[in-house]
Amino acid sequence: MGDGGEIAQKTCFAPDRIAILLAAGLGILACVMLWHVGELLTHLKAVLFYPYSLDYGEGIVWQQMRDMVDGTAYGPLQVYPAIVYHYPPVFHMTSAALAALTGMDQLVAGRLVSILSSFATAYMVGLLTARAMPAEVDGRVRAICATMAGLLFLTCYPVLIWTPLMRVDMLSGALGLAGMLLALRALDRPAWIYGAAAMFVLSLYAKQISIAAPMAAFSVLLLVRPGLAVRGIAFSTISGLLALAWLSRATDGGFLTHILVYNINRFLPSSFGDILFPQLFIHMVLIALSVLGVTATWRGSRTFLDKGSLALIRDSLAQNRAAVAALMLLIFLGLKTIMLLGILKSGASYNYMIEWFSAVAVFAALTLAPFAARAMGQTSGVEKLSPVHVVLALVALPLQLAFLPVGFSSAQAIAQNTKVGARIVERIASSTRPVISDDMTLLIRAGRNVEWESAITAELAQLGKYDQLGFARLVRAHCFGLLVTEGKVDRLPFRARYNPPVAAAILSAYPLEEKISKYSLRWPSAAPASNGHCPLR
């Protein structure tokens, strides 16, 4: 009797102990992620009002926005000025509208659009995670997994780095996920399909390669509700073409020329080793959990897709909203995985992984559902947890996140960089001739326009679409008061931004160098080889 009672006590106690351990593990994981989010918020507070570039692309995006507001964007590319408008105008005009309505600085407004978009994306990642979970899942489990999904997204390195930047990617991604959510909502309220279509069009007109979300949504809707899908596709196509016609007419055809013909890059396989592989490595535990989630979700989807006839598949999916959401997310992840190859081109960076990580976070969070269920004391119908599963989620993932090499700038470094920028702005403002600067925000702060971008002209010159010899002649003619370049001349980024003919002209005609922090201010020689002749004067 005594032995039997002891065994009964152990078996009754074991599930409670497991629940406590799992709850503690999930709590630790959440705390690590919240720590990173806290660091991110502190960083955002420090850099939101920083007046100069946090990233090379911020300056050109800011100038593009100014030109769009002035109605001078998407003009013909010349030797000088030479500005390429890489993207459609939705992000730029959203930022301009926020600045105009609030009176805030335009650079701050652009960054704030990205910050709000990043947190909105995290929220929608959580909503999509909850939508992809079966209806019978406990509400508390659903809430835990949704919260984890949002936090997982926010603690991915590309998201942490890109959130404070005045760049188009965060807004475009947020609009795409909003479209997917509205498309799922349209299954019960068909009128919402027009809202979904509008979000997809806006996403595409924020960044022209934002096609994964609408492709995933409409492909699943074509299977489940063909009529609904056709309405959404028709609305998207018509509204998108009308916007294209208006933009083309307003820019005399320059819109398409810029976003398609001028916005080109060379194939750069070194990006695999510099960007893609390191990111896959430092997030390998998160990716492994996502793979487990994809596998389990695909197994569940197969029960609907193996019904035989298309009619039976359609009927079974139409009755299960979670299965529709899961299938949509599977296709979205698959498309974004293929699109990761876009990193293998010059000019690509961590931004090409942001949407991919939004889907990865969803499936990693779905993998945590059995943990959350057991932590809530549920045992019936809960998937058995393997030791590998437990170690990955509750040991390896917190450790991976704890040692994530983010490296935000300190407040002291930001203050020092602000002083450096102010010194250079003074030099630029004192010049009586045009100035070229790698940090293009310096030009705008000095009351000038950005009229030439080094990186894109280097790309276009390599492909024979820009007259770099013509620009080199302008340099040798001392048409510019000074040039502000970044880094050493024999290393990146200088070598990527200035092709040999232009670099040689700069070093020859602007031999006087003043070093200020990471920048080189290059001044012309006292006796110009061109006898002072400059067509820009």
Side-chain angles (χ1 to χ4, degrees), residues 175-321:
L175 290 168
L177 293 190
M180 292 179 67
L181 281 167
L182 291 174
L184 290 170
R185 182 64 172 164
L187 291 170
D188 297 311
R189 299 196 175 201
W192 286 89
I193 195 63
Y194 301 110
M199 292 298 104
F200 291 142
V201 171
L202 288 172
S203 177
L204 194 65
Y205 276 89
K207 188 175 183 180
Q208 60 269 36
I209 62 170
S210 301
I211 58 173
M215 287 180 67
F218 287 137
S219 62
V220 174
L221 290 181
L222 280 170
L223 178 63
V224 181
R225 292 277 185 84
L228 188 67
V230 169
R231 275 190 280 167
I233 293 170
F235 185 84
S236 298
T237 304
I238 293 169
S239 57
L241 289 175
L242 287 173
L244 178 60
W246 182 81
L247 285 167
S248 296
R249 182 174 181 179
T251 60
D252 294 324
F255 174 72
L256 279 177
T257 301
H258 275 265
I259 68 169
L260 298 180
V261 179
Y262 293 157
N263 189 18
I264 53 179
N265 301 89
R266 292 166 286 175
F267 177 65
L268 196 64
S270 61
S271 295
F272 181 84
D274 295 338
I275 300 173
L276 185 58
F277 181 75
Q279 289 302 305
L280 297 179
F281 178 75
I282 66 174
H283 293 95
M284 60 182 175
V285 180
L286 174 65
I287 295 168
L289 286 172
S290 183
V291 170
L292 291 174
V294 167
T295 303
T297 304
W298 175 245
R299 283 200 305 263
S301 298
R302 287 288 300 271
T303 61
F304 296 95
L305 299 176
D306 290 342
K307 293 292 184 180
S309 69
L310 182 60
L312 289 174
I313 294 173
R314 181 172 296 155
D315 289 342
S316 61
L317 283 173
Q319 297 171 15
N320 194 309
R321 297 290 182 265

